[in-house]
Amino acid sequence: MPSLPLPPDHESDTPGPGTSLRRIPEATVVRLPVYQRILEELGRSGTTTVSSERLGASAHVNAAQVRKDLSLLGSFGTRGSGYDVTYLADQIDHHLGLDREWTVVIAGIGNLGRALARSQGFAARNFAVAAMIDTDPAIIGERIDGVEVRHPDDLAAITESTPLSIGVITTPASVAQRVTDLMVGAGIRSLLNFAPCRLEVPSGTLLRYVDLSMELQVMSFYQARHLHDGNVAAMPVIGSVGRTFDGVG
Amino acid sequence: MPSLPLPPDHESDTPGPGTSLRRIPEATVVRLPVYQRILEELGRSGTTTVSSERLGASAHVNAAQVRKDLSLLGSFGTRGSGYDVTYLADQIDHHLGLDREWTVVIAGIGNLGRALARSQGFAARNFAVAAMIDTDPAIIGERIDGVEVRHPDDLAAITESTPLSIGVITTPASVAQRVTDLMVGAGIRSLLNFAPCRLEVPSGTLLRYVDLSMELQVMSFYQARHLHDGNVAAMPVIGSVGRTFDGVG
DNA sequence: GTGTGTGAACTTGTTCACAGCG
DNA sequence: CGCTGTGAACAAGTTCACACAC
């Protein structure tokens, strides 16, 4: 399907000025961050080149799959040696949109909100926590990593000086819809919802649900199978961001 | 494939005593918790019956998909009216292994560990946080929801009185492997890793990675597309536990 | 009529196998 | 040689469409 001589879609597949974004299948999108993290580790350990075989082993993915995924971003492997770690990481960054800074606002400064705000993973990947909001007067005014917690009513004012691209909702479910409406009203078009409830957003808004207890549910499914028939080997890698493995690869 | 008159696999498909566990595709497994949460909401709102159409709309899934998924668990819909909310929820619970209690130990009582420990979602789904461990003397001895934080060295002793089924790792990456080894040594065979690092575990151990910053990366990918070509409608639902939607369903 | 359960068509994703480049 | 890039085969997942049960 991705390899017709002429693409059926409107999107041009001329290589363009190195900036062309061709259609990337969802299955690939969710593997890219995995590759990227491995490349990061390899880079830190001084490795300059990596083969699809090795990358695949680390990612628990077939080597052919790795090559197919990467060939979608362009073809910049070197036959006989492999991929340049740094260059490949840059390319993935570009396709994931991580070569520009994203500003994040976190709503609900409880334990989860603080955990995310302080997460080094965010800063390391160009996500800047640019604002934090909460309604608790005891929390408002507090500074976390240099960012002051403010009242939700200030959101519109905040966005005037600091455009915000992504809203992260870590409030109780009871107020999640209200804070969502505020964020949407302030022009935020991407939301990551950790509150255990469904949200309504206008069309054109991206909404991503993350439910930590669901991870446990999927895990318990596999363990239940495991206990019943001892058949661990039949448990495959599943899912996107959360992934289940049976032992080492 | 799932509907041959005689199954090619060894696993019996005789209905059995209502406890038979047939093979369930991974794609279905990750949708089951989604259905379950919707059923929970419906149950709370007093709805007793639901159609695949309605369930599918809430889950952002095709109605035929819902029927196919549910038919894998057995066929207990009523033609002409739909599925009994409570009965269906019970069936899903059973297949996810949620009709028994799972004991969880949380390692690393920072913000994320506390957030998970206090999450109502856990208790509501039969996950009991039965132990918590940390090395910080200032934290050891603290009680969170009645459970005392103890030193990792006590883990073996803890498991003797309280068998633990699932280990949740919310420590810094630097000590994650060490705590993993301790847990595996204590007989824990399922691990949920929130630390941003790869872990080695012996074969036969289930390992699931959750990387919260990856959720943001996937989100930024979609938003990058969104900004570049305005083509929101092309953004599909992806992934398992985290799911991206464009606006309301 | 209404809505499930399911073969069959279709789409998407994965793996194989190998030509061809460095 | 070794390893990428990719058509072609295969497998998995999704949607359609309709018979049939209530």
Side-chain angles (χ1 to χ4, degrees):
Chain A
M1 163 276 292
S3 51
L4 288 174
L6 288 174
D9 260 333
H10 64 288
E11 192 159 7
S12 163
D13 76 337
T14 51
T19 323
S20 81
L21 296 176
R22 61 180 82 174
R23 175 110 180 73
I24 296 182
E26 291 66 48
T28 297
V29 172
V30 298
R31 279 189 296 265
L32 290 179
V34 179
Y35 299 150
Q36 206 229 23
R37 156 146 301 163
I38 294 163
L39 292 169
E40 216 173 81
E41 281 181 17
L42 288 171
R44 249 179 292 145
S45 76
T47 314
T48 57
T49 286
V50 67
S51 68
S52 62
E53 189 88 38
R54 184 156 171 213
L55 198 46
S58 297
H60 294 89
V61 158
N62 184 296
Q65 183 74 77
V66 173
R67 294 199 294 278
K68 203 143 242 184
D69 285 341
L70 299 183
S71 75
L72 291 169
L73 313 186
S75 77
F76 31 73
T78 311
R79 298 177 189 220
S81 66
Y83 299 86
D84 182 87
V85 169
T86 318
Y87 186 70
L88 183 52
D90 287 349
Q91 289 301 315
I92 294 179
D93 266 0
H94 176 243
H95 280 265
L96 286 175
L98 299 180
D99 54 357
R100 77 202 256 331
E101 191 182 77
W102 295 96
T103 48
V104 175
V105 51
I106 299 178
I109 312 305
N111 281 310
L112 184 55
R114 282 167 206 269
L116 294 175
R118 292 188 178 133
S119 152
Q120 301 100 334
F122 278 26
R125 287 176 186 75
N126 278 334
F127 294 106
V129 178
M132 308 179 80
I133 57 177
D134 202 294
T135 49
D136 185 343
I139 295 176
I140 292 171
E142 189 181 332
R143 289 187 158 270
I144 297 173
D145 286 348
V147 178
E148 187 184 349
V149 179
R150 301 184 55 183
H151 192 276
D153 290 344
D154 295 349
L155 194 58
I158 296 169
T159 49
E160 264 172 45
S161 56
T162 319
L164 298 170
S165 8
I166 298 176
V168 175
I169 297 162
T170 53
T171 64
S174 52
V175 299
Q177 183 63 57
R178 221 176 312 158
V179 86
T180 299
D181 295 343
L182 265 173
M183 285 182 165
V184 169
I188 295 168
R189 317 199 38 189
S190 295
L191 297 170
L192 199 53
N193 177 34
F194 286 87
C197 62
R198 327 223 125 237
L199 296 176
E200 303 265 310
V201 294
S203 181
T205 311
L206 285 176
L207 178 53
R208 194 167 168 88
Y209 290 97
V210 184
D211 180 338
L212 299 176
S213 76
M214 278 191 189
E215 297 287 347
L216 272 182
Q217 291 180 61
V218 173
M219 179 126 246
S220 74
F221 169 84
Y222 283 106
Q223 186 162 345
R225 295 294 157 139
H226 182 247
L227 295 173
H228 279 106
D229 52 38
N231 186 14
V232 189
M235 292 175 209
V237 172
I238 65 148
S240 57
V241 174
R243 293 153 63 87
T244 303
F245 300 108
D246 169 27
V248 292
Chain B
M1 164 274 290
S3 51
L4 288 173
L6 287 174
D9 260 332
H10 64 287
E11 191 159 7
S12 162
D13 76 336
T14 51
T19 323
S20 80
L21 297 176
R22 62 180 80 174
R23 175 110 180 75
I24 296 182
E26 291 65 48
T28 297
V29 173
V30 300
R31 279 189 297 265
L32 289 180
V34 179
Y35 299 151
Q36 206 230 24
R37 157 144 302 164
I38 294 163
L39 291 169
E40 217 172 81
E41 281 181 17
L42 287 171
R44 247 179 294 145
S45 75
T47 314
T48 57
T49 286
V50 67
S51 68
S52 62
E53 189 87 39
R54 184 157 170 211
L55 198 45
S58 297
H60 294 89
V61 158
N62 184 297
Q65 184 74 77
V66 173
R67 294 199 294 276
K68 203 142 241 183
D69 285 339
L70 298 183
S71 74
L72 291 170
L73 312 186
S75 77
F76 31 73
T78 310
R79 299 180 188 215
S81 66
Y83 301 87
D84 182 87
V85 169
T86 317
Y87 186 71
L88 183 52
D90 286 349
Q91 289 301 314
I92 294 179
D93 266 0
H94 176 244
H95 280 265
L96 285 174
L98 299 180
D99 53 358
R100 77 202 257 330
E101 192 183 77
W102 296 95
T103 48
V104 175
V105 51
I106 299 178
I109 311 305
N111 282 311
L112 183 55
R114 283 167 207 269
L116 294 175
R118 292 190 178 131
S119 150
Q120 302 99 334
F122 278 27
R125 286 176 187 76
N126 278 334
F127 294 106
V129 178
M132 307 179 80
I133 58 177
D134 201 295
T135 48
D136 185 343
I139 295 175
I140 292 171
E142 189 181 331
R143 288 187 159 271
I144 297 173
D145 286 348
V147 179
E148 187 184 349
V149 179
R150 300 185 55 182
H151 192 275
D153 290 345
D154 295 348
L155 194 58
I158 296 169
T159 50
E160 265 172 44
S161 56
T162 319
L164 298 171
S165 12
I166 299 176
V168 175
I169 298 163
T170 52
T171 64
S174 54
V175 299
Q177 184 63 57
R178 220 176 311 157
V179 85
T180 298
D181 295 344
L182 265 172
M183 284 181 165
V184 169
I188 295 168
R189 314 194 49 183
S190 294
L191 296 170
L192 198 53
N193 178 34
F194 286 87
C197 64
R198 327 221 127 238
L199 296 176
E200 303 264 310
V201 295
S203 182
T205 311
L206 285 176
L207 178 53
R208 193 167 168 87
Y209 290 97
V210 184
D211 180 339
L212 299 177
S213 76
M214 279 192 189
E215 297 288 347
L216 272 182
Q217 290 179 62
V218 173
M219 181 126 245
S220 74
F221 168 84
Y222 283 107
Q223 187 163 344
R225 295 294 157 138
H226 182 247
L227 295 173
H228 280 105
D229 52 38
N231 186 12
V232 189
M235 292 174 208
V237 172
I238 66 149
S240 58
V241 174
R243 295 153 62 85
T244 302
F245 300 108
D246 169 27
V248 293

